[in-house]
């Protein structure tokens, strides 16, 4: 493999690690302030994560507050899991023999997770929209729930790639078992 | 797989070891083992020709079709 490609992959590996730590911290911070808002101080709902203010929802509709924040935590957690799967690919891949069943499984799992994230984000976005219109005004939540359609598109593209990858492995296995 | 490879039967009839066959047909032991254990997905005509020549048999002596219930 070319040295340039190797360098790019190394940089991507580092970027993935940074991304993974970042998303984990983001999710952890939200979980922490969510738990604090429910157990000790309602003030935490004023700034759950970098300006995310759901204090009005907390004060008026606690069940919706719990549901909404739990869904956002789940989505962010899934995003962290997605990056973790990419990191596992980096850890497992062998560029001398890149087509292995493990990698194919990881690629197809990435596509499923991306699709789940995309559809969940779209769903939660509309849920927040509904709360905004019917129950309580949520000033800045939508900004934290963007990218749903992009994740769906990403998931679909990776799903197709995963199927091609699987077929490639089948052909490779058949070739290896031809005497 | 409904196709059975009777390589071991023919080898026993000709009193030939896998090592000897491997040398005579110029195939690796690993590949012959794949063929013998029935793991092979396909056999090249050239391989079949070489094996038939060495074991003095017909392709039908090596391959057999057995219907399996799905």
């Amino acid at each position: 493999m070319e040295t340039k490609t190797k360098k790019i992959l190394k940089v991507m590996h580092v970027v993935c690690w940074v991304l993974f730590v970042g998303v984990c911290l983001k999710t952890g911070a939200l979980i922490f302030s969510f738990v604090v808002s429910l157990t000790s101080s309602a003030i935490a709902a004023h700034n759950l994560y970098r300006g995310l203010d759901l204090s009005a929802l907390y004060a008026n509709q606690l069940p919706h507050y719990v549901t909404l924040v739990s869904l956002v935590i789940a989505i962010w957690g899934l995003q962290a899991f997605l990056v973790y799967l990419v990191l596992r690919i980096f850890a497992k891949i062998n560029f001398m023999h890149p087509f292995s069943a493990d990698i194919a499984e990881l690629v197809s799992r990435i596509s499923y997770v991306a699709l789940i994230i995309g559809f969940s984000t779209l769903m939660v976005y509309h849920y927040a929209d509904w709360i905004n219109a019917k129950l309580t005004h949520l000033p800045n939540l939508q900004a934290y729930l963007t990218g749903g359609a992009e994740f769906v598109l990403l998931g679909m593209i990776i799903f197709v790639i995963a199927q091609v990858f699987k077929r490639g492995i089948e052909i490779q296995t058949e070739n290896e078992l031809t005497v | 797989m409904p196709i059975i490879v009777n390589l071991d039967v023919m080898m026993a009839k000709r009193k030939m070891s896998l090592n000897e066959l491997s040398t005579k047909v110029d195939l690796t032991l690993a590949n012959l083992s794949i063929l013998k254990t029935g793991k092979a997905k396909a056999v090249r005509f050239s391989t079949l020709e070489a094996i038939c020549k060495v074991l003095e048999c017909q392709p039908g002596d090596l391959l057999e079709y057995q219907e399996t219930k799905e």
Side-chain angles (χ1 to χ4, degrees), chain A residues 173-179, chain B residues 39-44 47:
Chain A
T173 313
E174 215 168 272
N175 200 30
E176 278 169 1
L177 290 176
T178 297
V179 180
Chain B
K39 286 179 189 162
K41 293 261 183 192
V43 187
R44 288 191 191 91
T47 308

Side-chain angles (χ1 to χ4, degrees), chain A residues 90-135:
Chain A
F90 275 114
K92 281 195 172 185
I93 202 156
N94 170 11
F95 283 99
M96 298 307 285
H97 304 282
F99 297 101
S100 70
D102 281 348
I103 303 290
E105 181 59 35
L106 281 172
V107 175
S108 77
R109 209 180 285 178
I110 284 174
S111 74
Y112 296 137
V113 174
L115 282 171
I116 293 170
I117 292 172
F119 286 119
S120 319
T121 308
L122 288 173
M123 193 189 76
V124 177
Y125 186 88
H126 288 292
Y127 177 50
D129 237 13
W130 177 80
I131 291 175
N132 223 345
K134 303 267 179 190
L135 304 170

Side-chain angles (χ1 to χ4, degrees), chain A residues 68-81:
Chain A
L68 190 65
V69 179
S70 303
L71 285 168
V72 175
I73 287 171
I75 289 170
W76 288 4
L78 278 171
Q79 285 177 4
F81 183 59

Side-chain angles (χ1 to χ4, degrees), chain A residues 3-179:
Chain A
T3 328
K4 196 180 164 189
T5 320
K6 270 185 184 170
K7 274 183 188 167
I8 292 170
L9 282 166
K10 269 186 184 168
V11 171
M12 278 171 71
H13 195 174
V14 174
V15 169
C16 270
W17 264 111
V18 173
L19 214 69
F20 179 64
V21 173
V23 182
C24 281
L25 283 175
K26 181 171 118 171
T27 314
L30 184 62
I31 292 172
F32 180 74
S33 39
F34 177 56
V35 172
V36 169
S37 75
L38 289 178
T39 54
S40 38
S41 169
I43 299 168
H46 283 275
N47 190 355
L48 281 165
Y49 175 76
R50 297 185 65 166
L52 177 61
D53 181 5
L54 296 179
S55 53
L57 187 65
Y58 178 88
N60 302 325
Q61 304 282 340
L62 190 62
H64 283 296
Y65 170 78
V66 173
T67 312
L68 190 65
V69 179
S70 303
L71 285 168
V72 175
I73 287 171
I75 289 170
W76 288 4
L78 278 171
Q79 285 177 4
F81 183 59
L82 183 80
V83 185
Y84 166 73
L85 289 176
V86 178
L87 280 173
R88 277 189 61 192
I89 286 190
F90 275 114
K92 281 195 172 185
I93 202 156
N94 170 11
F95 283 99
M96 298 307 285
H97 304 282
F99 297 101
S100 70
D102 281 348
I103 303 290
E105 181 59 35
L106 281 172
V107 175
S108 77
R109 209 180 285 178
I110 284 174
S111 74
Y112 296 137
V113 174
L115 282 171
I116 293 170
I117 292 172
F119 286 119
S120 319
T121 308
L122 288 173
M123 193 189 76
V124 177
Y125 186 88
H126 288 292
Y127 177 50
D129 237 13
W130 177 80
I131 291 175
N132 223 345
K134 303 267 179 190
L135 304 170
T136 312
H137 178 59
L138 304 171
N140 59 355
L141 180 64
Q142 255 80 347
Y144 294 87
L145 292 171
T146 51
E150 286 86 345
F151 268 109
V152 171
L153 185 69
L154 175 81
M156 288 195 300
I157 293 169
I158 297 177
F159 181 77
V160 173
I161 292 171
Q163 298 315 306
V164 173
F165 204 88
K166 270 186 185 169
R167 184 69 193 120
I169 289 169
E170 274 174 28
I171 291 169
Q172 181 185 268
T173 313
E174 215 168 272
N175 200 30
E176 278 169 1
L177 290 176
T178 297
V179 180

Side-chain angles (χ1 to χ4, degrees), chain B residues 44-67:
Chain B
R44 288 191 191 91
F45 278 151
S46 55
T47 308
L48 201 58
E49 184 190 333
I51 294 172
C52 286
K53 194 174 176 184
V54 170
L55 293 177
E56 293 168 350
C57 63
Q58 292 298 313
D61 299 327
L62 295 170
L63 304 174
E64 181 189 339
Y65 172 73
Q66 261 182 23
E67 203 164 351

